[in-house]
Amino acid sequence: RGNPADRDTFLSNPINIKLVVDVSASMYRFGYDGRLERLLEATLMIMECFKGDKRFNLHITGHNGSSPKIDLVHPSMELDEATQLRVLESMVAHTQYTYAGDHTIEAIEVAVEESAPDTLVIAISDANLNRYDITLKDLKPLQSAKVHAHLIFIASLGDEAAALAKAVPNERAQCCMNTSDLPLIIKKIVTSALK
C-alpha cells in the first residue's frame, strides 16, 4: 500500500515531460504519407494521458523553419477538450504558414538546455536528414546526462532515418512509420525513463 508521506513527497516533485514536435512546412507538404496525422494523434494522446495528473508537468513546444521553439502547452494550462483542439489547430497552422527549413537539432538543444534535471525530452521529427545535412554528430544532445532525451523519426526519405536511428547510442532514437506504433513507442520511452 505504501506510506501516505511517501506519496506526498512524490507529488511535491512532479516529473517534467517535454514534447518537442515538428511543425515544419514538410509536415504539411508531405502529409499524404500520414506524418502530420501521426504527429497530431500522438500529441493528443499525450495531452489526454497527462491532463489533470499532478504527478507530471507537461510542456509541448514546436519547431519549424521559422523557429526552434514555439510554445504550445505549458504545465499551468487546463487541458480540456477545447484547449486540446486549439493546440492541434495551432500545430496545423504552423505547418501551413512557416518558412521552409529545419530546426530539429536546435530544438533538441534548446529543450535540453532549458529543462530541469531528469526531465524526459521527446523530440519528434520528419527526418529530412540529407537535405539539412543532419548527422550522428549533430544528435549529441540526445546523450545528455542532465535529461532523458529521445528522438522519434516519423517519416524518412529512403532508409536514412532508420540508418541514423540505429547509429544513435543507448536507443535514444527510433523510427515510427506506422501510426498505431507511435503511442507504444512513447509509452516505452516514458516507462523506461521513470525506472
Side-chain angles (χ1 to χ4, degrees), residues 39-58:
L39 178 65
L40 295 172
E41 287 174 355
T43 304
L44 178 60
M45 177 205 70
I46 288 171
M47 288 190 293
E48 191 64 27
C49 180
F50 294 115
K51 76 175 181 183
D53 193 333
K54 301 297 183 198
R55 298 174 298 165
F56 301 95
N57 285 330
L58 179 63

Side-chain angles (χ1 to χ4, degrees), residues 5-195:
D6 293 339
R7 185 190 59 138
D8 293 340
T9 300
F10 177 72
L11 291 176
S12 67
N13 297 308
I15 297 165
N16 293 306
I17 297 179
K18 185 172 284 188
L19 182 65
V20 183
V21 297
D22 189 338
V23 290
S24 63
S26 60
M27 292 294 289
Y28 184 77
R29 187 175 305 120
F30 301 114
Y32 57 83
D33 68 2
R35 65 182 72 184
L36 182 56
E37 183 179 338
R38 282 193 293 276
L39 178 65
L40 295 172
E41 287 174 355
T43 304
L44 178 60
M45 177 205 70
I46 288 171
M47 288 190 293
E48 191 64 27
C49 180
F50 294 115
K51 76 175 181 183
D53 193 333
K54 301 297 183 198
R55 298 174 298 165
F56 301 95
N57 285 330
L58 179 63
H59 305 254
I60 301 178
T61 62
H63 62 91
N64 59 25
S66 302
S67 175
K69 182 182 176 189
I70 301 162
D71 289 318
L72 297 168
V73 171
H74 51 83
S76 63
M77 288 175 67
E78 189 67 36
L79 288 177
D80 55 30
E81 289 181 5
T83 302
Q84 291 178 15
L85 179 60
R86 281 194 299 274
V87 170
L88 299 177
E89 288 173 338
S90 175
M91 290 170 63
V92 172
H94 279 291
T95 66
Q96 291 175 313
Y97 303 107
T98 185
Y99 293 109
D102 187 273
H103 279 104
T104 300
I105 301 305
E106 294 86 349
I108 295 170
E109 290 171 347
V110 168
V112 168
E113 289 169 12
E114 293 183 353
S115 292
D118 295 324
T119 296
L120 174 57
V121 176
I122 302 173
I124 299 177
S125 178
D126 71 354
N128 283 322
L129 303 172
N130 289 337
R131 180 176 180 188
Y132 296 108
D133 198 28
I134 297 172
T135 66
L136 181 60
K137 181 180 173 185
D138 297 315
L139 297 178
K140 189 175 179 182
L142 293 176
Q143 302 303 319
S144 169
K146 176 185 169 188
V147 301
H148 305 280
H150 295 266
L151 175 60
I152 302 172
F153 295 119
I154 59 170
S156 181
L157 298 173
D159 65 350
E160 65 182 12
L164 185 57
K166 188 175 182 180
V168 173
N170 303 318
E171 296 182 343
R172 294 294 182 104
Q174 299 179 33
C175 291
C176 177
M177 306 304 159
N178 185 344
T179 303
S180 62
D181 292 340
L182 192 54
L184 300 173
I185 290 171
I186 292 174
K187 180 180 178 182
K188 178 183 168 190
I189 290 170
V190 171
T191 303
S192 66
L194 297 181
K195 287 181 180 178

